[in-house]
Amino acid sequence: MTEELKEKKITGQENRVGVYICYCGGNISDHVDVEKVRDRAEKIPGVTLARTNMFMCSDPGQELIARDLQDGLIDRVVVASCAPSLHEDTFRGTMSRAGVNPYLYEHTNIREQVSWVHHGDEATDKATRLVAASVGKVTEMKPMEPLKVDARPHATVIGGGIAGLRAVKDLATLGFKVVLIEKSPFLGGQTAVLDRVAPAGEEVPNLLSELAKNVLEDPAITVKTCTQVTGFDGYIGNFNLKLKSEPPESDEANEKIKQMIESGKETGQFIPFVGIYPGTIPQMPEESTVETGVVVIATGFRPYIPRSGEYGYKQYEEVVTLPQFIRMISDNRKEGKFLELEGRKIRSIAMIHCVGSRQIPGIHDGDEAGNLNEYCSRTCCSALLFNATQIREEYPGTRVYEFYRDIRAYGRGQEELYSNASGSGVIFLRFEADSSPEIIKNNPSDGYPLQVKVKDTLTYGEEVEVLVDLVVLGVGMEPSPVPELVDMMKLPVGTDRFLLEVHPKLRPVELPVSGIMLAGTCQAPMDIGEACNAAGAAAVKASAILGKGFVEMDPFVAEVDTMKCRGCGACVEACLKPGALNMVETEVNGEIGLNAGVFPALCSGCGACVAVCEENAINISGWTLKQYENMVDMIVSDQWV
């Protein structure tokens, strides 16, 4: 400890601010003179010391901050680094471990807001001003305590596919009561419409049946099929869901259920290409409510449905999607040299990759709403390769051609699928996105109903014509549409229409709405293993929330100065979260009157109420008007640059 620092500590300076500036491995320091910012920061009133580090979020960087706090050199912290969404919680945790109130901390974004958009002296000067603004704010901060609310030891999972089943069972194993809500009559989701799973070829009944049986037999789990969420309110630890259960409308579903009852099928039995029979189905419409602590969204995906005429779909009966093809094989499986489907010998098959995935604006047509699936669905290549190999091995007389733009066989055991397909005699033809295969009705005299024409880049653009009996479209994934849940729960949706997590690496299964988690393919294309892993992660996150019996929430909520409030109600009208602000009777100077009252657990700290209050009677804890004024004063001052 230098003599100068000792002196600052001994004299009891009111605010001792430590400024810590990150190089971010060059992300910041390539455009911001970090050491110059540090030199300038040391001269800002209230700053006791300023330090730099290559990676401030690393263990050595955090230790640097913790040591200065524990030595009493500083009592509040400013970190200038990347976006607060990445590491604000990281540094608050550092302060807590050092025994200092974690809310005496301000995060300054000099990566996204500076180094990624500015260069040279302009970047360095802007970084300095932002650091100065943060110092101005943090000097006005007061210690705060997190809000605590009771948490019900109960969870709700929406979606009865394999991710939902996995999440439900994991939560029950962790000791919580769980309700599983599934809108269809059966469990299993899209996994149930498969027969075997790549890359190892496990049979779907074996995968689903044991898991579903464990769920249905667990006394801590309540399964509600043919049920949808119709109402939602509350907050983390204390959600209320309104449910509506109705008998299935589909004639096919009713027929299946009737067959189950008449044949005496047992609860949990697998029905091929339908799902797991849950044992009970609602006979009459009924409404119910669930009081729960956390919600896990596992609403899954649906296969892309090609437009009429896309690759000949619905134009030629010989063009089918991969899910349709899988069921056709299962229904017609028998020994022989050639694959036979519905009595028709299949001598040649064309499999086309990336149908409904990796679509390009200007080349591909969108759906009725103009949406394009620009993402890779990730599992289609492996599924096509797996089925192509199975056909070649079981029916060696049937030729298989794979038409692809790129093959993405990621993950353990997946690359071998490509090797096996190639080794079994599958023929590969590669095309560019702007020259997709053309499906043409063939001359009947040739003996093949269809012809596929493509410019094969593997033979340097030579046009190839392939005669086929069948075309199989490797369709991608689309998120199951859940507009009602999105509206009710205020769920964020990405540009790809999948539900959007807080951060793909730091908070991969959490939504911005505290207490709501994600599991499986409602979030992004995944294979079964990934979906189950995500479900397990969501269950663990949920159990961490429920396990203590209470939830701690950040205290950045509205607070009302009852001495200034005159009860006009403008703040209540402006409030964006129903129930967060209400008019309540309050005693002020011995008189009873109506004033604004805050329900902290519902308040999101948005500040809409602050903006409309003419009396300046409302502030947001941790973001007061005085703090804003200080920040503005520091930004406009030229003495730091």
Side-chain angles (χ1 to χ4, degrees):
M1 186 185 303
T2 66
E3 291 301 319
E4 182 182 359
L5 292 180
K6 284 182 179 179
E7 181 65 23
K8 284 188 177 182
K9 179 183 176 184
I10 292 170
T11 55
Q13 179 179 322
E14 182 177 355
N15 292 322
R16 301 189 301 278
V17 181
V19 176
Y20 299 86
I21 309 162
C22 184
Y23 277 67
C24 201
N27 274 297
I28 292 173
S29 59
D30 283 352
H31 301 287
V32 174
D33 188 334
V34 172
E35 294 302 327
K36 182 178 284 189
V37 176
R38 181 190 61 78
D39 290 340
R40 292 171 172 177
E42 288 181 330
K43 300 177 177 63
I44 300 173
V47 174
T48 302
L49 59 85
R51 303 190 192 276
T52 61
N53 191 273
M54 182 59 69
F55 294 103
M56 197 60 72
C57 62
S58 65
D59 288 344
Q62 292 186 58
E63 179 60 28
L64 188 68
I65 299 172
R67 188 167 57 248
D68 289 342
L69 288 166
Q70 291 167 340
D71 289 345
L73 302 181
I74 57 173
D75 61 5
R76 53 200 67 209
V77 169
V78 170
V79 173
S81 60
C82 55
S85 60
L86 295 176
H87 287 301
E88 189 172 46
D89 288 343
T90 300
F91 294 113
R92 283 214 182 101
T94 301
M95 296 188 69
S96 294
R97 291 192 298 274
V100 178
N101 189 284
Y103 297 106
L104 296 175
Y105 163 78
E106 181 63 13
H107 196 101
T108 311
N109 184 353
I110 62 170
R111 188 179 72 171
E112 286 83 348
Q113 293 183 1
V114 180
S115 68
W116 283 7
V117 290
H118 301 290
H119 309 286
D121 292 341
E122 183 184 40
T124 302
D125 291 348
K126 183 177 179 181
T128 302
R129 291 181 187 273
L130 291 180
V131 168
S134 293
V135 172
K137 180 188 176 186
V138 81
T139 55
E140 284 293 322
M141 286 182 171
K142 306 296 182 186
M144 296 188 293
E145 295 299 324
L147 304 173
K148 288 187 177 182
V149 296
D150 292 337
R152 298 164 177 155
H154 184 282
T156 298
V157 177
I158 303 175
I162 196 163
L165 291 170
R166 182 74 270 165
V168 165
K169 184 55 186 172
D170 287 351
L171 282 162
T173 301
L174 290 167
F176 302 102
K177 291 187 176 181
V178 197
V179 168
L180 174 63
I181 300 168
E182 167 56 39
K183 67 179 181 180
S184 76
F186 302 97
L187 303 175
Q190 292 296 332
T191 303
V193 301
L194 305 174
D195 60 350
R196 287 180 285 184
V197 178
E202 299 100 326
E203 294 185 356
V204 166
N206 296 337
L207 286 177
L208 273 179
S209 296
E210 183 177 357
L211 176 59
K213 183 179 180 182
N214 290 336
V215 167
L216 293 167
E217 292 180 352
D218 195 317
I221 299 172
T222 301
V223 176
K224 290 181 173 289
T225 56
C226 301
T227 301
Q228 298 193 61
V229 179
T230 58
F232 174 84
D233 60 35
Y235 50 91
I236 182 172
N238 294 267
F239 293 117
N240 301 304
L241 281 73
K242 292 182 179 179
L243 310 179
K244 186 173 184 179
S245 303
E246 294 183 296
E249 297 180 357
S250 166
D251 290 337
E252 182 181 356
N254 280 312
E255 183 60 31
K256 289 289 183 185
I257 294 165
K258 182 180 178 181
Q259 291 175 11
M260 295 301 101
I261 296 173
E262 290 177 351
S263 61
K265 293 288 186 183
E266 295 181 2
T267 297
Q269 190 154 353
F270 179 79
I271 309 164
F273 299 98
V274 175
I276 300 293
Y277 176 54
T280 57
I281 304 291
Q283 300 300 311
M284 296 284 291
E286 59 180 33
E287 296 184 352
S288 58
T289 59
V290 171
E291 297 180 345
T292 194
V294 296
V295 177
V296 177
I297 309 292
T299 48
F301 78 97
R302 64 180 181 184
Y304 173 78
I305 300 176
R307 302 181 317 279
S308 180
E310 185 176 3
Y311 292 111
Y313 186 70
K314 290 188 177 179
Q315 184 178 1
Y316 309 124
E317 63 178 358
E318 297 86 3
V319 179
V320 298
T321 64
L322 180 58
Q324 292 171 330
F325 180 62
I326 290 172
R327 182 159 189 175
M328 291 166 68
I329 293 178
S330 179
D331 292 342
N332 293 272
R333 181 167 274 121
K334 60 182 179 180
E335 294 183 358
K337 182 178 179 181
F338 292 93
L339 172 66
E340 290 188 15
L341 298 177
E342 299 173 351
R344 187 162 57 96
K345 183 186 291 185
I346 306 298
R347 297 157 295 173
S348 179
I349 299 175
M351 292 185 164
I352 301 178
H353 288 241
C354 294
V355 180
S357 295
R358 301 178 66 208
Q359 295 174 324
I360 301 173
I363 294 179
H364 298 101
D365 296 326
D367 61 15
E368 294 179 354
N371 297 311
L372 284 173
N373 299 339
E374 298 183 44
Y375 52 85
C376 171
S377 289
R378 305 177 78 229
T379 63
C380 327
C381 287
S382 296
L384 284 173
L385 291 168
F386 176 76
N387 281 279
T389 304
Q390 295 298 311
I391 292 167
R392 289 293 302 153
E393 291 177 350
E394 294 182 27
Y395 308 103
T398 300
R399 297 184 301 277
V400 180
Y401 301 87
E402 295 231 4
F403 297 79
Y404 71 99
R405 287 166 57 190
D406 297 291
I407 288 181
R408 297 180 173 180
Y410 74 97
R412 177 173 293 180
Q414 303 284 354
E415 183 64 24
E416 287 83 346
L417 290 174
Y418 175 78
S419 301
N420 294 340
S422 180
S424 66
V426 174
I427 300 171
F428 293 89
L429 300 100
R430 190 171 188 267
F431 62 91
E432 298 291 348
D434 58 354
S435 58
S436 299
E438 184 181 0
I439 314 300
I440 303 170
K441 188 68 175 178
N442 196 37
N443 189 326
S445 63
D446 290 337
Y448 290 87
L450 297 177
Q451 178 185 124
V452 183
K453 295 177 65 174
V454 70
K455 288 184 178 180
D456 178 25
T457 63
L458 299 179
T459 55
Y460 305 100
E462 183 173 342
E463 189 169 275
V464 178
E465 298 178 358
V466 179
L467 300 177
V468 297
D469 292 302
L470 192 70
V471 174
V472 178
L473 306 181
V475 293
M477 294 184 180
E478 292 184 326
S480 291
V482 287
E484 299 85 1
L485 290 180
V486 169
D487 291 341
M488 277 189 290
M489 299 182 176
K490 304 297 185 289
L491 306 178
V493 180
T495 56
D496 56 8
R497 308 192 308 285
F498 287 91
L499 298 181
L500 190 62
E501 70 282 342
V502 175
H503 190 276
K505 293 184 178 179
L506 301 178
R507 297 173 66 186
V509 296
E510 297 175 70
L511 287 163
V513 184
S514 297
I516 303 182
M517 314 294 168
L518 290 169
T521 51
C522 63
Q523 177 182 5
M526 301 179 185
D527 65 23
I528 289 174
E530 291 169 326
C532 289
N533 288 341
V540 170
K541 280 289 183 182
S543 68
I545 292 172
L546 303 178
K548 294 183 291 187
F550 63 88
V551 178
E552 290 187 345
M553 305 165 64
D554 283 334
F556 306 125
V557 298
E559 54 182 3
V560 179
D561 185 341
T562 55
M563 301 299 293
K564 292 183 179 180
C565 178
R566 58 184 177 85
C568 69
C571 56
V572 176
E573 293 180 11
C575 183
L576 303 178
K577 195 71 179 291
L581 266 175
N582 293 290
M583 301 306 295
V584 296
E585 288 189 352
T586 308
E587 183 176 344
V588 180
N589 295 328
E591 296 184 2
I592 302 295
L594 285 178
N595 289 99
V598 180
F599 186 61
L602 284 175
C603 179
S604 62
C606 68
C609 54
V610 178
V612 300
C613 182
E614 296 181 358
E615 307 299 323
N616 289 335
I618 303 183
N619 262 312
I620 301 297
S621 299
W623 285 97
T624 65
L625 291 175
K626 175 61 176 173
Q627 290 168 350
Y628 276 116
E629 291 170 359
N630 270 19
M631 294 176 75
V632 173
D633 290 342
M634 299 295 267
I635 286 175
V636 300
S637 175
D638 290 330
Q639 60 180 308
W640 323 122
V641 297

Short mmCIF file of all heavy atoms in Angstrom, two decimals, residues 165 185-188 192 205 208-210 212-213 216 225 267-271 274-279:
data_model
loop_
_atom_site.label_atom_id
_atom_site.label_comp_id
_atom_site.label_asym_id
_atom_site.label_seq_id
_atom_site.Cartn_x
_atom_site.Cartn_y
_atom_site.Cartn_z
N LEU A 165 -40.69 -33.85 -20.45
CA LEU A 165 -40.67 -35.05 -19.60
C LEU A 165 -39.40 -35.10 -18.76
O LEU A 165 -39.42 -35.42 -17.56
CB LEU A 165 -40.79 -36.30 -20.45
CG LEU A 165 -42.14 -36.53 -21.15
CD1 LEU A 165 -42.03 -37.67 -22.15
CD2 LEU A 165 -43.24 -36.82 -20.13
N PRO A 185 -53.38 -34.95 -26.62
CA PRO A 185 -53.80 -36.05 -25.74
C PRO A 185 -52.66 -36.97 -25.32
O PRO A 185 -52.83 -37.76 -24.39
CB PRO A 185 -54.82 -36.81 -26.60
CG PRO A 185 -55.17 -35.91 -27.73
CD PRO A 185 -53.97 -35.05 -27.96
N PHE A 186 -51.52 -36.90 -26.01
CA PHE A 186 -50.44 -37.87 -25.76
C PHE A 186 -49.14 -37.15 -25.43
O PHE A 186 -48.96 -35.97 -25.73
CB PHE A 186 -50.24 -38.76 -26.99
CG PHE A 186 -51.47 -39.52 -27.39
CD1 PHE A 186 -52.29 -39.04 -28.40
CD2 PHE A 186 -51.81 -40.69 -26.75
CE1 PHE A 186 -53.44 -39.72 -28.77
CE2 PHE A 186 -52.96 -41.39 -27.11
CZ PHE A 186 -53.78 -40.91 -28.12
N LEU A 187 -48.23 -37.88 -24.80
CA LEU A 187 -46.92 -37.35 -24.43
C LEU A 187 -45.86 -37.83 -25.41
O LEU A 187 -46.02 -38.87 -26.06
CB LEU A 187 -46.55 -37.81 -23.01
CG LEU A 187 -47.54 -37.46 -21.89
CD1 LEU A 187 -47.08 -38.10 -20.58
CD2 LEU A 187 -47.68 -35.96 -21.74
N GLY A 188 -44.78 -37.10 -25.50
CA GLY A 188 -43.68 -37.52 -26.35
C GLY A 188 -43.29 -36.54 -27.43
O GLY A 188 -42.17 -36.57 -27.94
N ALA A 192 -41.85 -38.76 -30.64
CA ALA A 192 -42.74 -39.92 -30.79
C ALA A 192 -43.05 -40.25 -32.24
O ALA A 192 -43.52 -41.35 -32.53
CB ALA A 192 -44.04 -39.67 -30.03
N PRO A 205 -39.36 -46.14 -28.99
CA PRO A 205 -40.17 -46.66 -27.87
C PRO A 205 -39.34 -46.91 -26.61
O PRO A 205 -39.82 -46.67 -25.50
CB PRO A 205 -40.75 -47.97 -28.44
CG PRO A 205 -40.78 -47.75 -29.91
CD PRO A 205 -39.57 -46.94 -30.23
N LEU A 208 -38.49 -43.36 -25.01
CA LEU A 208 -39.60 -42.61 -24.42
C LEU A 208 -40.33 -43.36 -23.31
O LEU A 208 -40.72 -42.77 -22.30
CB LEU A 208 -40.61 -42.24 -25.50
CG LEU A 208 -40.38 -40.94 -26.27
CD1 LEU A 208 -41.47 -40.76 -27.31
CD2 LEU A 208 -40.34 -39.75 -25.32
N SER A 209 -40.52 -44.65 -23.50
CA SER A 209 -41.41 -45.39 -22.60
C SER A 209 -40.94 -45.37 -21.15
O SER A 209 -41.73 -45.11 -20.23
CB SER A 209 -41.56 -46.84 -23.08
OG SER A 209 -42.18 -46.88 -24.33
N GLU A 210 -39.67 -45.63 -20.93
CA GLU A 210 -39.17 -45.67 -19.55
C GLU A 210 -39.27 -44.30 -18.88
O GLU A 210 -39.70 -44.19 -17.73
CB GLU A 210 -37.72 -46.16 -19.53
CG GLU A 210 -37.17 -46.31 -18.11
CD GLU A 210 -35.76 -46.87 -18.09
OE1 GLU A 210 -35.23 -47.20 -19.18
OE2 GLU A 210 -35.20 -46.96 -16.99
N ALA A 212 -41.32 -41.78 -19.71
CA ALA A 212 -42.73 -41.44 -19.49
C ALA A 212 -43.33 -42.24 -18.35
O ALA A 212 -44.13 -41.72 -17.56
CB ALA A 212 -43.52 -41.67 -20.78
N LYS A 213 -42.96 -43.51 -18.24
CA LYS A 213 -43.48 -44.34 -17.15
C LYS A 213 -43.04 -43.79 -15.80
O LYS A 213 -43.84 -43.71 -14.86
CB LYS A 213 -42.99 -45.78 -17.32
CG LYS A 213 -43.55 -46.74 -16.27
CD LYS A 213 -43.06 -48.17 -16.52
CE LYS A 213 -43.63 -49.12 -15.46
NZ LYS A 213 -43.13 -50.49 -15.65
N LEU A 216 -45.21 -40.71 -15.12
CA LEU A 216 -46.61 -41.01 -14.81
C LEU A 216 -46.79 -41.71 -13.48
O LEU A 216 -47.84 -41.61 -12.84
CB LEU A 216 -47.22 -41.84 -15.94
CG LEU A 216 -47.37 -41.12 -17.28
CD1 LEU A 216 -47.68 -42.10 -18.40
CD2 LEU A 216 -48.47 -40.06 -17.20
N THR A 225 -53.05 -33.53 -19.72
CA THR A 225 -53.05 -33.49 -21.17
C THR A 225 -54.30 -32.78 -21.67
O THR A 225 -55.23 -32.51 -20.88
CB THR A 225 -52.98 -34.90 -21.77
OG1 THR A 225 -54.06 -35.68 -21.24
CG2 THR A 225 -51.65 -35.57 -21.42
N THR A 267 -51.41 -47.47 -18.87
CA THR A 267 -50.86 -46.12 -18.77
C THR A 267 -49.36 -46.16 -19.06
O THR A 267 -48.64 -47.01 -18.55
CB THR A 267 -51.10 -45.55 -17.36
OG1 THR A 267 -52.50 -45.44 -17.14
CG2 THR A 267 -50.44 -44.19 -17.19
N GLY A 268 -48.93 -45.24 -19.89
CA GLY A 268 -47.51 -45.16 -20.21
C GLY A 268 -47.09 -45.98 -21.41
O GLY A 268 -45.91 -46.00 -21.75
N GLN A 269 -48.04 -46.63 -22.07
CA GLN A 269 -47.70 -47.46 -23.23
C GLN A 269 -47.46 -46.59 -24.45
O GLN A 269 -48.17 -45.62 -24.71
CB GLN A 269 -48.79 -48.48 -23.50
CG GLN A 269 -48.38 -49.52 -24.54
CD GLN A 269 -49.15 -50.80 -24.36
OE1 GLN A 269 -49.88 -50.96 -23.39
NE2 GLN A 269 -48.98 -51.73 -25.28
N PHE A 270 -46.45 -46.97 -25.23
CA PHE A 270 -46.08 -46.22 -26.43
C PHE A 270 -46.94 -46.64 -27.61
O PHE A 270 -47.11 -47.83 -27.88
CB PHE A 270 -44.60 -46.45 -26.76
CG PHE A 270 -44.14 -45.73 -28.00
CD1 PHE A 270 -43.84 -44.38 -27.96
CD2 PHE A 270 -44.00 -46.41 -29.20
CE1 PHE A 270 -43.42 -43.71 -29.10
CE2 PHE A 270 -43.58 -45.76 -30.35
CZ PHE A 270 -43.29 -44.40 -30.30
N ILE A 271 -47.49 -45.64 -28.32
CA ILE A 271 -48.26 -45.88 -29.53
C ILE A 271 -47.42 -45.35 -30.68
O ILE A 271 -47.13 -44.15 -30.74
CB ILE A 271 -49.60 -45.15 -29.50
CG1 ILE A 271 -50.34 -45.48 -28.19
CG2 ILE A 271 -50.45 -45.52 -30.70
CD1 ILE A 271 -51.46 -44.54 -27.89
N VAL A 274 -47.55 -41.79 -32.53
CA VAL A 274 -48.58 -41.02 -31.82
C VAL A 274 -48.01 -40.47 -30.52
O VAL A 274 -48.03 -39.26 -30.27
CB VAL A 274 -49.83 -41.88 -31.53
CG1 VAL A 274 -50.83 -41.09 -30.69
CG2 VAL A 274 -50.46 -42.33 -32.83
N GLY A 275 -47.52 -41.34 -29.65
CA GLY A 275 -46.95 -40.89 -28.39
C GLY A 275 -47.25 -41.84 -27.26
O GLY A 275 -47.64 -42.99 -27.47
N ILE A 276 -47.09 -41.34 -26.06
CA ILE A 276 -47.31 -42.12 -24.84
C ILE A 276 -48.74 -41.91 -24.36
O ILE A 276 -49.19 -40.78 -24.19
CB ILE A 276 -46.32 -41.71 -23.75
CG1 ILE A 276 -44.87 -41.94 -24.20
CG2 ILE A 276 -46.61 -42.45 -22.45
CD1 ILE A 276 -44.48 -43.39 -24.39
N TYR A 277 -49.45 -43.01 -24.15
CA TYR A 277 -50.82 -42.94 -23.63
C TYR A 277 -50.78 -42.59 -22.15
O TYR A 277 -50.24 -43.35 -21.34
CB TYR A 277 -51.52 -44.28 -23.85
CG TYR A 277 -52.91 -44.37 -23.29
CD1 TYR A 277 -53.88 -43.43 -23.64
CD2 TYR A 277 -53.27 -45.40 -22.43
CE1 TYR A 277 -55.17 -43.52 -23.13
CE2 TYR A 277 -54.56 -45.51 -21.92
CZ TYR A 277 -55.50 -44.55 -22.27
OH TYR A 277 -56.78 -44.64 -21.77
N PRO A 278 -51.36 -41.44 -21.74
CA PRO A 278 -51.24 -41.01 -20.34
C PRO A 278 -52.21 -41.70 -19.39
O PRO A 278 -52.10 -41.52 -18.16
CB PRO A 278 -51.55 -39.51 -20.42
CG PRO A 278 -52.48 -39.40 -21.58
CD PRO A 278 -52.05 -40.45 -22.57
N GLY A 279 -53.15 -42.45 -19.92
CA GLY A 279 -54.07 -43.18 -19.04
C GLY A 279 -55.40 -42.49 -18.83
O GLY A 279 -56.43 -43.13 -18.74
#
